[in-house]
Every structure is written in C-alpha cells, then in structure tokens.
Amino acid sequence: MNDAAQAPTPAPAPRKRARVRAPELIGKGGWVNTGGKDLQLADFRGRILILDFWTFCCINCLHVLDELRDLEEKHRDTLVIVGVHSPKFVHEAEHQAVVDAVERYEVHHPVLDDPELATWKQYAVRAWPTLVVIDPEGYVVAQHAGEGHANAIRTLVEELEAEHEAKGTLRRGDGPYVAPEPVATDLRFPGKAVLLANGNFLVSDTTRHQLVELEPDGETLVRRIGEGEFREPQGLALLPDGKVVVADTVHHALRTYDPASGAIERIAGTGKQWWQGSPTSGPALDVDLSSPWDVAWWQGKVWIAMAGVHQLWTYDPETGTVGVAAGTTNEGLVDGPAAEAWFAQPSGLAATEDRLWIADSETSAVRWIDPEGVVHTAVGTGLFDFGHRDGAAGQALLQHPLGVTALPDGSVAIADTYNHALRRFDPATGEVTTLATDLREPSDAVLAGDEIVVVESARHRLTRLRLPEEAVQVEAVAHRTQREATEVAPGRLRLDVVFQAPTGQKLDERYGPSTRLLVSSTPPELLRGGEGTGTDLFRELDLDPAVTEGVLHVSAMAASCDDDPANEYPACHVHQQDWGVPVKVTADGVSRLPLILAGMDG
C-alpha cells in the first residue's frame, strides 16, 4: 500500500453561506426564565442560537414551539433557543401576560419580552412566527417564517456543530434557562368548561393536560381525569348520549369522556397535524386535524373550531367521518358561502337552534353561520383593528375573544379575553355592551341557572357572576397593531417569496409544481393586478395610487424532499406561511417586497 492510499479522506468543506452580523437583543420588558439575569448577544457566543419571534395569541407560533422541543432537547449542550416575544395585541405587551404565557405553553428556554418590537425591527421580521439562526460567532445564517422548518433547522444545526467544532469556535455546556418555581393551584390556566347533568362543572385544565371535575360551587375538587391522555385540552361539549367530546388540542384529536364509566376514547384525528395537501374529509380516525380549539353540538354533528387552519370542520358520529364545513385556510375576515369564507383562528363556539356563534380570535370578531351554510360577521372588521368600544356593532371593538355563550334571550355573551371583560352582543338591537370587567383572560363562560360562570384562565379559577340588568360603563379605547407599515411605491411592486431548499433537499416536482402563492388585499381596490393564486413564488403586483394604505395578504407554500436518487420514497416536508403586510403607498416607497419563507434574501 502506498501512503496516498492510507491517507484519511478529507472532511467536506463547509458549505458557503451568507452571514450577516446579528443585531443586539433589546426588549424593555426584560427577560423571563433566566432567574432574573439580563442577557446580551455576547452571552451566547460559542453556542448556536435560534431566535423564535412569537406572540402568544398566534396558533402557528404555538405549533413552532412544539416543533422545536425535540431539537432543543437533542442539542441542549450546543444550542440555545431564545423566544423573542413580539406582541400583536395591546394585552400581549403586558409583562405579566408574557410571564403567564411562558408558563401556560411550557416554554423551557429564555424569553426576551420586547413590547415595543425593538428587536423585531432590528431583524426586519415581517411575520409571526419567524425563526432566525445565529452561528457561534454571532452571524445570522438563516431565517425561516411559518411552520414546517424543523427538519431544515435540524440539518443546519448539525452542519454548524461540525463546522464550528472543527474551527474551535463551538462552546458546549449548560444553557441560561432557569425554571420558575411551580405554583400549587387546583386549576392551572383552565381553557373551557361545561355543566354536567349532575350539576358539577367539567373544566379543561389546559397546562396540566387533564380534565377536572368540580362541585357546583365551582371550587371543590371532585376528581382529575385523563392523566397521560390529553395534551393542552381546550373545548368541551355535551353529546346527546351524555358523553363529553373534548378538543385535545396539541394532540390534534377529538376524544370522548364518559362521566358514567370514566372511559376516554379517541374519535377523530391521527395525532398528526394537518398540512396543505392532506385529506380534508374521510374516516375520522384516518384524517389529520390541526389544533381543534372548541367543539359544539349543532344540527346533529360535532362542529369543530379548527384554529390551526382557520376553518370549521364537522364530525358526524353516525358515519364516523370528519370534513371541512367552512373556510378556505386563508386567514382573514370574509363572509359569504361557507366554502368561500375566511376565518382567523376560530377559538370559541356556541350553538342555538338557528345559529352557530363563533369567536374568531385573530380578527377580534364574533361571527355566525346559519343553517344554509352562510357565514356572517356580527362584530369585528379585520386582523389589525381591536380595542374596547361598546355601542353599535358596526363600530364596536373587541380584543382577541376566545369564547362565546348563547344566552336565553337570543343574545350572546363574549369572553373578550384580552380586554379582561365579559361582553354581550344583542342581535335584536345590534348593540354591544360590557357585562363585567376586572376579569383575567376569560376564555369561556357557562350558564348555571340565572348566573354565568366565567373561566378566568389567568386567575386559574371559575368566577360566578349574576347577569347584570344594566351594562357596565367603559371608556372606549381603539387600537391598531403596532407593526409599522411598509412604504411601497404606487404602480408596479415586485413580490418575492424567498425559499431555499434545506441542505440535501430539493423542490418536490414529481407531481407538478411544488410551490403555491396566493395574494389578495384589504381593501380589494388596493390591487389593480396581481391578485389570485399561482405556482411561482414571485409576482408582479400593480398598486392603485388612489388607495393610500391597506394590507397585502400573502400565503406561500413550498414542498421539498430528500435529494437522493437511490431513495424511491424520499421524506418530504411542507413549509408554509401567511403574511399580512400593512403597506402605505408613497412616491418614495420601495418597488420590491421580499418575504422570507426559508433562507436569506440575497
């Protein structure tokens, strides 16, 4: 053997990648989960850092938190995840609300509370959720918006580990996470409640992943139910046979609980999250669901507020099937026939004989669907307007409501979650009033005789109220999202959705185009051309100079598969994100709008 034959095979050269120096981490709210220590970017030098820009109202952000858990555990000695909490709603800018959300959703890494979006702006983030990867030398090497990027980030983390281990710039060890002290309460961030036939209350004890039965006083513990069965359960509904159907939210499933026998049974969902391209109907146990948040019995079926995909679905116990009932998966507020309507994270349902009421949380709206399948809006205008204003429904404002309760007189009570209030809409008068204030993140309410029992989620309790004869007088407050509008030039605007397939993958074009782009606007008159659906991830838009401001709604999807010719069945991954981009049309505005789905904008 000669020396050349014995020489070891050289390691492949690290892939060249764009690198941008990472800006400092700034947030007036300070740090959570660090034991009181303030951190700076320099504290993470030598570690791989992922910044998770999230806000706790956002269902997609909660999905990403779950996507990252395995990665966080596997690479705990080289990787640090830092949540950068970037609020959409005014309530989300309250520091205690962020602290509560970190516990509620079991966030086990440091979180920077950035109520003024300072770090969001420094990193030019445009959407929740966005993940930014920073290498051990402090450079941004990738950015990903939306869901479905866990595999790509896992590959990148492994590349960065090998590259910086070889360079001597990787530092292993424990991260800066400090767990908060546990608190003993019977309930911990309860979600929804239902009144059982025996007069007791059944409550979804969300953060403890159980159901809890309480005596009629709403306080005395009877039993805990379903240890190990549920994951962040939310909605509950009584079925005609006496069983309770449960929205097992993080398990993406429906289960029934039989109070008589104690039996728990999965009736819908596979345990996997629904993605674009998956079946939208079929045998209930074979079809994926996506974060079912509430359930209601109406017209002989279980109706499901499918928060994760902005739709309503139904489960038919007679046929054992599920299917889409309303919504397109596009996020927004559009009324009309069920198949054309848009929702935004529907999170609460309440049935009457002729209406199914819907708390459409991200549009701060109360909607309803009639027996003919037409969707209507009672209160609310869209994704970016919210507040606390009573009066005529057309100008009234809510802030991220999570629950609705049908009242005997035909009106509906609204758990106006981020206003810490119980509100009421009366269809007979078209008026919105306030029934009670000084609640803490109410998420549901249940009628019990002539009283209403409110689930005060952030006070970890049920609160009993008498329905007042007169409304509470509340000073009107109106808000718009803090996000700065992007100044764009009138006329031609080039929209580029940046997507770079992860290492070892390529776009999946075995069955045709693997990308999709949908563009629309509010108001519709903003776009003179370029709206609609296509397969290219770029689009020439034509903006009407007569419309000075609005919102561009952009939805993008890309599917990539492992690039291995020898593998007949490569693993494939769907990457998707919706953007709502506030824009102002000005003469000095930009003529190109880049939105990063995955990678770096060259």
Side-chain angles (χ1 to χ4, degrees):
M1 270 190 222
N2 58 38
D3 292 341
Q6 298 179 31
T9 303
R15 183 173 67 144
K16 283 193 175 291
R17 56 173 65 90
R19 299 203 311 170
V20 177
R21 177 63 74 179
E24 189 52 82
L25 304 178
I26 306 165
K28 282 196 171 181
W31 288 84
V32 184
N33 278 356
T34 64
K37 182 180 178 181
D38 289 339
L39 301 175
Q40 295 181 320
L41 203 60
D43 294 316
F44 304 101
R45 190 61 58 87
R47 311 295 290 274
I48 301 162
L49 176 62
I50 296 177
L51 303 182
D52 176 13
F53 288 87
W54 71 298
T55 188
F56 63 78
C57 72
C58 161
I59 190 67
N60 311 91
C61 300
L62 304 185
H63 290 166
V64 167
L65 280 174
D66 288 326
E67 286 180 4
L68 293 176
R69 293 188 199 280
D70 287 345
L71 181 73
E72 190 170 23
E73 179 61 29
K74 183 178 179 181
H75 298 274
R76 61 188 309 167
D77 65 333
T78 60
L79 169 69
V80 177
I81 297 175
V82 168
V84 182
H85 189 268
S86 312
K88 171 185 174 181
F89 291 100
V90 169
H91 169 57
E92 293 172 315
E94 298 175 16
H95 183 68
Q96 185 57 47
V98 178
V99 173
D100 287 346
V102 167
E103 180 190 348
R104 181 195 298 262
Y105 298 116
E106 298 180 297
V107 179
H108 295 161
H109 51 246
V111 173
L112 174 63
D113 180 9
D114 182 19
E116 296 179 351
L117 302 181
T119 296
W120 165 288
K121 294 169 187 172
Q122 287 273 78
Y123 282 82
V125 175
R126 293 186 183 274
W128 298 278
T130 291
L131 300 171
V132 175
V133 183
I134 299 172
D135 72 14
E137 295 178 287
Y139 289 90
V140 175
V141 293
Q143 183 170 324
H144 302 261
E147 301 178 52
H149 302 292
N151 186 69
I153 292 177
R154 184 181 303 110
T155 301
L156 177 55
V157 167
E158 290 169 356
E159 287 181 357
L160 290 171
E161 281 182 342
E163 178 183 334
H164 288 273
E165 189 93 80
K167 289 175 66 176
T169 50
L170 186 70
R171 176 171 58 87
R172 295 179 181 270
D174 293 333
Y177 169 66
V178 178
E181 289 292 323
V183 182
T185 53
D186 285 335
L187 298 174
R188 205 69 193 161
F189 297 105
K192 307 285 186 182
V194 69
L195 189 63
L196 298 175
N198 63 3
N200 289 352
F201 293 96
L202 188 67
V203 185
S204 54
D205 196 21
T206 302
T207 299
R208 295 217 177 99
H209 315 297
Q210 295 178 337
L211 307 182
V212 172
E213 185 176 343
L214 301 174
E215 290 187 2
D217 62 7
E219 297 179 6
T220 305
L221 179 67
V222 177
R223 63 177 61 87
R224 295 186 174 277
I225 300 149
E227 182 176 1
E229 295 276 1
F230 302 106
R231 185 76 183 170
E232 294 183 23
Q234 286 284 347
L236 307 168
L238 278 172
L239 299 180
D241 63 4
K243 293 180 182 178
V244 178
V245 62
V246 184
D248 193 1
T249 304
V250 174
H251 279 153
H252 309 295
L254 299 187
R255 300 182 194 274
T256 54
Y257 163 63
D258 186 347
S261 68
I264 297 172
E265 180 185 2
R266 178 170 58 91
I267 59 169
T270 64
K272 296 179 181 178
Q273 183 183 340
W274 186 93
W275 289 95
Q276 289 286 354
S278 300
T280 55
S281 63
L285 292 171
D286 298 336
V287 177
D288 299 339
L289 308 180
S290 181
S291 297
W293 207 274
D294 202 7
V295 281
W297 179 256
W298 190 54
Q299 295 188 318
K301 295 180 180 180
V302 175
W303 286 68
I304 310 163
M306 202 73 77
V309 285
H310 317 300
Q311 290 180 314
L312 303 182
W313 287 43
T314 58
Y315 164 73
D316 186 340
E318 289 291 323
T319 61
T321 57
V322 293
V324 175
T328 65
T329 77
N330 296 318
E331 185 179 16
L333 193 155
V334 176
D335 289 338
E340 301 171 13
W342 291 22
F343 298 94
Q345 213 168 299
S347 302
L349 299 175
T352 65
E353 185 175 342
D354 61 349
R355 294 187 183 192
L356 181 69
W357 293 101
I358 305 150
D360 202 28
S361 61
E362 280 294 291
T363 52
S364 297
V366 170
R367 321 274 296 277
W368 54 281
I369 186 168
D370 64 29
E372 284 71 46
V374 179
V375 177
H376 311 259
T377 295
V379 186
T381 58
L383 287 165
F384 299 106
D385 294 292
F386 51 91
H388 192 146
R389 183 195 287 152
D390 289 330
Q395 56 87 52
L397 294 172
L398 309 169
Q399 187 179 181
H400 197 78
L402 289 178
V404 280
T405 306
L407 300 179
D409 64 357
S411 65
V412 60
I414 306 159
D416 192 5
T417 309
Y418 288 2
N419 280 327
H420 310 299
L422 189 68
R423 312 283 293 282
R424 176 176 177 263
F425 168 67
D426 186 352
T429 64
E431 294 285 315
V432 174
T433 54
T434 297
L435 299 176
T437 58
D438 299 322
L439 302 168
R440 186 68 186 173
E441 290 193 19
S443 54
D444 196 18
V446 182
L447 280 176
D450 59 356
E451 296 179 320
I452 191 163
V453 177
V454 180
V455 180
E456 275 198 275
S457 189
R459 282 201 178 110
H460 320 292
R461 70 187 190 191
L462 303 187
T463 298
R464 189 179 297 269
L465 304 172
R466 291 195 70 83
L467 285 171
E469 295 182 7
E470 293 186 7
V472 178
Q473 297 299 311
V474 176
E475 184 178 351
V477 179
H479 300 291
R480 295 208 80 192
T481 180
Q482 295 184 62
R483 293 172 59 193
E484 291 183 353
T486 300
E487 294 191 357
V488 295
R492 291 287 176 180
L493 176 68
R494 166 82 177 204
L495 171 66
D496 284 316
V497 173
V498 178
F499 177 76
Q500 294 157 3
T503 303
Q505 293 183 26
K506 64 179 181 179
L507 287 173
D508 177 19
E509 296 179 337
R510 292 170 297 167
Y511 310 109
S514 62
T515 55
R516 187 191 72 159
L517 180 63
L518 171 68
V519 181
S520 63
S521 67
T522 303
E525 296 76 25
L526 175 63
L527 282 177
R528 294 191 301 194
E531 68 274 16
T533 304
T535 56
D536 292 324
L537 291 181
F538 61 87
R539 189 77 59 85
E540 294 288 343
L541 308 180
D542 185 10
L543 303 184
D544 189 340
V547 181
T548 57
E549 62 179 328
V551 178
L552 292 175
H553 303 284
V554 180
S555 178
M557 184 273 289
S560 61
C561 295
D562 293 345
D563 188 9
D564 181 0
N567 187 352
E568 186 177 355
Y569 303 104
C572 296
H573 310 273
V574 177
H575 317 261
Q576 63 185 49
Q577 173 62 7
D578 295 336
W579 291 267
V581 184
V583 296
K584 284 185 179 178
V585 181
T586 65
D588 299 327
V590 298
S591 58
R592 176 178 178 265
L593 177 62
L595 300 176
I596 297 177
L597 180 59
M600 298 281 283
D601 182 19

